[in-house]
Amino acid sequence: MERHEVSQDLLEKKAKLIDALKDVYQSRIKSVQTIPFLMEKSHVKDVFIESGITVFERKEPSSKRGVWKRLDSHDKLLTYASASPARRILQGDPGYGKSLLSLHFAQRWCDQEDEAVSKFEILIILQLRQLKGVPSIYRAINRLIGLSRYMNAEDLKEIIETSSVLVVLDSYDEYPDANEQESLVNQVFSGSTFPKTDVNLTSRYFPSRFQQMETVRFKLTGFDHTERIKYLLKSVTPGDEEEAQRIQQSLEGNPALAALCQVPLFFACFAHISHQEKSDLHEYTSVTKYFGYVMRCFHVHLQEKTKERFVKDLSTTLKAEHDELSRIAYEALWKNVVPVWSRAYLQDYLGEDHYEYYTQLGVLVEDEEDEGHTVKGEEEEKERADKTKEGGEGKEDEGETNVVEEDLRKLGEGTRPGKKEDEHGQGGEEGGKVNEEEGERDRETTPPIRVKFFHGIFCEWFASFWLRKVAVERKEWTLKKAVERLNPVNLGYIYRFACGHNPAAGKKIIRQLLDVHGDRQIATLCIYERPGEMRDLLEPMEGICSQTVDIKEDDSKILQVSTIHLLKGASDNTVKVNEICMEQSFQGVDDSKTGIRLSSGFVLPTLKTVEKITIKEDETEIGTDKVRDLIGYSRQSEGMREIEFENCELFEMPNAGSLPPELRDYKIKVFRVNGDQVDYLDPESGKWKNIREEAKEVLDEVHMLSGRMKKNEIGLCRQLQMEETIGKLEEQKQQQDKTNEAIKVDDEAVSSIKQRAETFLERFHKRLDQVTAAGN
């Protein structure tokens, strides 16, 4: 980075900026809470474990296609760049530790531990959910550290432009202004503000507005066996390897639960509960069952440790009844606003006893730092109060903005948001609105207390109970409106939980997810969650299986488990599976030849209704035995017609005798595709042959025969389409015999070519377009 001469005054301001940032980060570094019922705070050093991480590498610079490749260190997030300055996007599902990783980098920067982090003179980490309506990075940093006390916006601009700086924009999926064209994030990430600064952005998903930019994409892939053992020894059973192995083995005995515990947050809950409760968790195979068990453990833990009578009494009630919290969580997600409220508002809405219980449980947490904008409930209360005075609330025909209000009114009873406007309707204006003049708000004023869920997954858990009510108790169009508003890309867990709560609700939700969003992935996850018979879901199964069902190496383990569950359900209920495509995930066929081993360790069982299997590999060599075994596995499917290998290096089969009878009888076609080249496995020789070359040979034979015929015969042949020429040569010969006895056709030659042609058509009925192109 270019260096410019700076004044001593600016150097002093820069030092103050760095010290103030370190003060903020140090308080956060020492206050990490891994799961709700562990009320004591931990240092980030004591809980952070590097999880798996991958980077997306394009096959060509201008191509959107590429593969996810595993990295050996998170430090690539600080060094990996396709351009200068770097624009990096870190993706990760909820609970994968995106924010904890940012805090880990902050700790290393504060302590100047290593060059990877300390090369940045200034590290700015902004929690995007706190930045509603904030128009500039100066305002954002001012909110973080009270910047206005010792510098103005021009000072900050000069400091950043003359320093090595990394800006981390954390949790884009929670950013209230994500749809604003001129938002702070768009300014910083596009380079219109501080164009020479490195920027990292974290999000659940890859934001569409940045897909045309030159970025490096990373993805957190969670915990595997190694990371889980490291976490146990570091945070749960320090020094006790035997206990760590016991917990790990209990998890490995339940593959579905192990798949769930790929999510670090879920594994942390599992580890601490297993250590304290010594429970058998083998029956919890879905995320809904498992999370419900975790919540029950939280209630029991609080009940056992508290001495307060009202907490013990509430524990029994609130384990089963939590309509108020569910309703307010659902409302926030439905309106696509950050689920943060003022403490006074929630105390009034939930009741003080209930509020106190939820905060002691750890589900709700108070956060003085989460300030700076009008929080949820306060602004809406005033709007609803005004509508009530005008007589305008509660009418469904006034537009979609009132749908959730009507839902809440019809489904719920008791106090609802907006009930006590006189007491709290104005409170948010005092506590949280962004000041209009830069630097007006001083950090030293006492900030209002904000309240949020411990983690976004907990918000979705409680909201899912209300979504279940909507699905079961409301009309279909109301559920459709909810599905339209609740984006499954951001809010997958609310759907999975709701489907897991109730089979009837699950059936309706899955159908709407497919109808509204066409999202087969989240529908597959929901089908796995839903209790009850698979035969109740024939229509959605048919919709998903009529298209290609993908099993990719970079799919989460629970998605692979859910996909296998879907395919097995389709097979058991005679639902046709058009195609299964295994991309970088095919490991081989098991010894019994009844299952396909995936690279994740899972096994795809025998499926009677699958018609085609495609294996996609990145120029990976697949041996003769694997090809033969896959053909043998495919024989068990009654509808199997085709196997295709794409971008694979394949050995020649040693001889035709090694091929299964079904292939030699032409019941299963085997192809390999590399770019534009398509080869087929010739069952007679066991060799790979090129389709175009084979087509040319057949056409040449036809033309040779035509050359031996009289002129009128040649004219007839030319009038036929290629497939008619191949399939009806005998018929044309008979017609010619009747009209011209003088024409003598070589019957043996015609018969031989006709037989070859018919065989060719049978093998390559799906490739006729390519054959026709080759002939023309």
Side-chain angles (χ1 to χ4, degrees):
M1 172 171 290
E2 281 185 53
R3 290 288 189 267
H4 302 279
E5 292 296 324
V6 296
S7 66
Q8 184 61 35
D9 177 58
L10 198 65
L11 287 173
E12 291 176 0
K13 290 178 178 179
K14 176 178 175 179
K16 289 180 179 179
L17 170 64
I18 292 171
D19 289 342
L21 287 170
K22 287 184 176 179
D23 285 344
V24 171
Y25 300 155
Q26 289 288 6
S27 66
R28 295 178 180 176
I29 287 165
K30 299 172 183 176
S31 306
V32 177
Q33 187 179 2
T34 52
I35 62 174
F37 75 66
L38 296 177
M39 302 307 290
E40 61 275 10
K41 308 293 184 181
S42 302
H43 194 285
V44 70
K45 278 186 172 183
D46 297 329
V47 296
F48 179 79
I49 295 292
E50 278 203 355
S51 65
I53 186 170
T54 56
V55 63
F56 186 75
E57 292 190 353
R58 291 184 175 88
K59 293 190 174 182
E60 296 177 7
S62 59
S63 173
K64 291 185 177 181
R65 294 188 61 190
V67 294
W68 290 96
K69 293 197 173 179
R70 189 175 177 91
L71 299 174
D72 58 3
S73 171
H74 287 176
D75 285 357
K76 296 291 186 182
L77 279 166
L78 306 172
T79 59
Y80 205 110
S82 59
S84 182
R87 293 292 182 270
R88 309 181 187 96
I89 295 177
L90 174 65
Q91 296 170 235
D93 287 338
Y96 272 71
K98 301 181 295 293
S99 297
L100 186 63
L101 177 57
S102 297
L103 204 55
H104 168 67
F105 285 148
Q107 173 261 312
R108 289 168 58 189
W109 180 74
C110 290
D111 296 346
Q112 295 290 288
E113 281 188 359
D114 50 70
E115 185 180 352
V117 180
S118 61
K119 70 177 182 179
F120 297 105
E121 296 173 88
I122 301 173
L123 174 64
I124 300 170
I125 301 177
L126 299 176
Q127 302 291 331
L128 295 182
R129 62 181 166 77
Q130 301 174 1
L131 301 183
K132 180 180 180 181
V134 178
S136 69
I137 195 167
Y138 176 81
R139 290 261 195 109
I141 300 173
N142 182 47
R143 175 172 295 175
L144 183 66
I145 60 175
L147 199 62
S148 59
R149 289 176 292 179
Y150 45 85
M151 71 174 71
N152 57 35
E154 286 302 313
D155 292 332
L156 177 66
K157 180 180 178 182
E158 188 172 354
I159 288 171
I160 290 181
E161 288 180 346
T162 57
S163 305
S164 173
V165 180
L166 173 64
V167 176
V168 177
L169 305 171
D170 192 31
S171 299
Y172 181 81
D173 49 275
E174 298 181 19
Y175 184 39
D177 297 340
N179 294 324
E180 300 295 327
Q181 190 63 36
E182 300 300 322
S183 69
L184 178 156
V185 170
N186 291 346
Q187 295 173 35
V188 174
F189 205 78
S190 66
S192 60
T193 300
F194 306 134
K196 298 180 180 180
T197 299
D198 281 7
V199 183
N200 286 7
L201 180 143
T202 74
S203 177
R204 293 186 182 188
Y205 56 90
F206 185 23
S208 57
R209 68 170 61 246
F210 303 135
Q211 290 180 8
Q212 302 304 316
M213 293 179 59
E214 189 169 0
T215 60
V216 183
R217 293 170 60 194
F218 299 85
K219 184 189 290 182
L220 293 176
T221 59
F223 281 178
D224 62 14
H225 175 90
T226 302
E227 283 93 35
R228 290 197 290 256
I229 289 292
K230 286 181 179 178
Y231 180 82
L232 288 169
L233 291 174
K234 189 173 191 178
S235 303
V236 183
T237 64
D240 191 346
E241 292 190 17
E242 185 177 339
E243 174 65 1
Q245 289 295 339
R246 182 195 69 79
I247 295 173
Q248 177 66 9
Q249 287 169 8
S250 69
L251 181 64
E252 291 175 349
N254 184 343
L257 184 56
L260 289 174
C261 287
Q262 183 182 9
V263 181
L265 175 63
F266 289 169
F267 178 70
C269 293
F270 170 85
H272 288 283
I273 290 172
S274 295
H275 180 53
Q276 294 191 13
E277 307 292 335
K278 302 293 188 295
S279 302
D280 181 7
L281 303 180
H282 282 70
E283 64 183 278
Y284 303 109
T285 54
S286 73
V287 68
T288 310
K289 291 178 181 177
Y290 174 64
F291 207 80
Y293 171 77
V294 168
M295 289 300 303
R296 289 194 296 275
C297 287
F298 290 172
H299 286 287
V300 170
H301 186 269
L302 178 59
Q303 200 172 22
E304 289 176 350
K305 77 173 187 178
T306 187
K307 294 181 179 178
E308 299 179 67
R309 185 67 212 171
F310 86 93
V311 172
K312 291 182 178 292
D313 293 340
L314 282 176
S315 178
T316 303
T317 302
L318 295 183
K319 271 192 287 188
E321 299 174 13
H322 34 68
D323 275 2
E324 290 83 3
L325 193 56
S326 296
R327 183 164 45 197
I328 200 170
Y330 176 80
E331 183 182 28
L333 299 181
W334 197 94
K335 291 187 173 181
N336 194 27
V337 289
V338 182
V340 180
W341 301 265
S342 75
R343 179 169 63 182
Y345 174 75
L346 277 187
Q347 284 176 330
D348 176 65
Y349 181 81
L350 300 173
E352 291 190 9
D353 283 355
H354 285 206
Y355 174 83
E356 181 70 18
Y357 180 84
Y358 285 125
T359 53
Q360 287 194 32
L361 189 67
V363 168
L364 296 177
V365 292
E366 297 180 348
D367 186 2
E368 293 186 9
E369 291 185 353
D370 207 331
E371 55 174 308
H373 60 85
T374 304
V375 295
K376 248 2 149 333
E378 296 170 336
E379 195 172 85
E380 288 87 339
E381 274 186 324
K382 190 173 186 303
E383 290 176 4
R384 279 195 295 270
D386 293 341
K387 285 182 181 179
T388 302
K389 291 175 183 177
E390 296 170 5
E393 182 180 331
K395 298 178 182 179
E396 288 190 3
D397 61 357
E398 285 188 8
E400 69 176 48
T401 55
N402 282 333
V403 172
V404 72
E405 303 298 339
E406 185 69 4
D407 268 356
L408 298 174
R409 183 179 68 80
K410 286 187 175 182
L411 286 176
E413 295 181 9
T415 307
R416 55 188 292 268
K419 191 83 178 241
K420 297 190 177 181
E421 290 87 355
D422 293 339
E423 290 185 37
H424 296 291
Q426 308 299 322
E429 300 297 326
E430 290 180 13
K433 227 168 195 174
V434 178
N435 296 309
E436 296 301 324
E437 298 298 325
E438 290 192 7
E440 183 179 330
R441 180 176 59 79
D442 193 296
R443 180 81 173 169
E444 293 177 0
T445 58
T446 303
I449 302 298
R450 303 292 189 236
V451 184
K452 61 184 181 182
F453 280 96
F454 173 82
H455 191 280
I457 290 178
F458 288 85
C459 182
E460 292 186 55
W461 169 258
F462 283 97
S464 69
F465 289 95
W466 205 267
L467 178 60
R468 178 195 66 186
K469 281 192 171 189
V470 171
V472 172
E473 300 177 23
R474 294 302 310 276
K475 293 180 180 178
E476 194 76 12
W477 74 268
T478 309
L479 176 61
K480 181 179 180 180
K481 186 65 65 177
V483 173
E484 288 174 351
R485 292 292 294 263
L486 299 168
N487 187 349
V489 175
N490 299 342
L491 302 170
Y493 279 107
I494 188 174
Y495 291 111
R496 293 165 68 180
F497 288 144
C499 290
H501 293 323
N502 183 280
K507 184 176 180 179
K508 293 180 180 180
I509 289 169
I510 291 164
R511 185 171 63 247
Q512 289 296 340
L513 282 169
L514 290 169
D515 289 349
V516 174
H517 297 285
D519 195 326
R520 293 182 293 135
Q521 180 171 303
I522 188 64
T524 299
L525 289 164
C526 288
I527 287 173
Y528 180 73
E529 290 295 320
R530 179 187 173 275
E533 296 292 335
M534 289 285 280
R535 63 171 175 265
D536 297 335
L537 300 174
L538 291 180
E539 183 181 341
M541 279 197 294
E542 288 170 353
I544 296 171
C545 295
S546 65
Q547 304 177 57
T548 300
V549 178
D550 293 310
I551 303 177
K552 300 179 181 179
E553 182 186 37
D554 61 332
D555 287 342
S556 68
K557 289 185 177 180
I558 193 59
L559 176 56
Q560 288 196 6
V561 168
S562 301
T563 303
I564 293 170
H565 176 74
L566 167 75
L567 293 171
K568 190 174 183 306
S571 178
D572 292 344
N573 289 278
T574 64
V575 173
K576 184 177 73 174
V577 179
N578 182 58
E579 179 183 5
I580 300 172
C581 179
M582 285 169 268
E583 186 171 343
Q584 301 286 114
S585 60
F586 174 72
Q587 193 74 19
V589 177
D590 64 15
D591 294 338
S592 66
K593 306 297 186 291
T594 59
I596 292 176
R597 295 194 312 275
L598 303 176
S599 56
S600 60
F602 297 120
V603 174
L604 187 65
T606 298
L607 303 171
K608 296 181 180 179
T609 58
V610 64
E611 295 191 336
K612 179 181 177 181
I613 291 177
T614 297
I615 307 296
K616 282 187 180 180
E617 296 290 334
D618 186 22
E619 298 179 355
T620 301
E621 209 169 64
I622 296 182
T624 301
D625 290 343
K626 286 188 177 181
V627 175
R628 186 190 299 113
D629 289 347
L630 184 59
I631 294 170
Y633 166 85
S634 302
R635 293 169 57 189
Q636 299 170 77
S637 174
E638 297 167 1
M640 179 64 68
R641 54 181 171 76
E642 188 174 328
I643 300 171
E644 184 174 295
F645 296 90
E646 188 171 325
N647 299 326
C648 305
E649 294 295 329
L650 301 174
F651 288 115
E652 299 287 351
M653 302 298 285
N655 55 69
S658 64
L659 299 175
E662 278 73 7
L663 183 62
R664 295 201 298 276
D665 292 340
Y666 313 120
K667 292 182 179 177
I668 300 176
K669 284 80 177 175
V670 182
F671 300 96
R672 67 177 180 187
V673 181
N674 286 288
D676 293 333
Q677 180 174 326
V678 180
D679 300 327
Y680 73 96
L681 185 60
D682 180 16
E684 295 178 1
S685 65
K687 304 297 183 183
W688 294 99
K689 291 189 176 182
N690 185 268
I691 280 186
R692 292 184 184 274
E693 293 174 0
E694 181 80 0
K696 187 175 183 302
E697 287 180 14
V698 173
L699 288 171
D700 287 345
E701 293 277 357
V702 172
H703 294 155
M704 284 176 63
L705 177 63
S706 297
R708 294 160 57 187
M709 296 179 180
K710 286 189 173 183
K711 186 176 179 179
N712 59 341
E713 183 184 6
I714 295 172
L716 283 172
C717 287
R718 285 178 175 171
Q719 291 173 23
L720 295 173
Q721 294 292 330
M722 178 193 159
E723 61 269 26
E724 293 172 332
T725 302
I726 294 172
K728 299 183 179 180
L729 276 177
E730 183 63 35
E731 182 182 339
Q732 293 300 320
K733 172 183 171 293
Q734 292 171 359
Q735 290 175 359
Q736 283 296 92
D737 287 342
K738 289 179 181 178
T739 57
N740 189 356
E741 294 180 359
I743 296 176
K744 293 182 180 180
V745 179
D746 189 334
D747 290 339
E748 186 176 349
V750 171
S751 177
S752 175
I753 293 173
K754 180 173 179 291
Q755 185 177 4
R756 289 189 62 195
E758 288 174 347
T759 300
F760 176 79
L761 276 178
E762 184 177 356
R763 293 184 196 153
F764 313 121
H765 62 282
K766 288 190 67 178
R767 310 293 182 180
L768 279 176
D769 55 334
Q770 294 174 305
V771 176
T772 304
N776 294 333

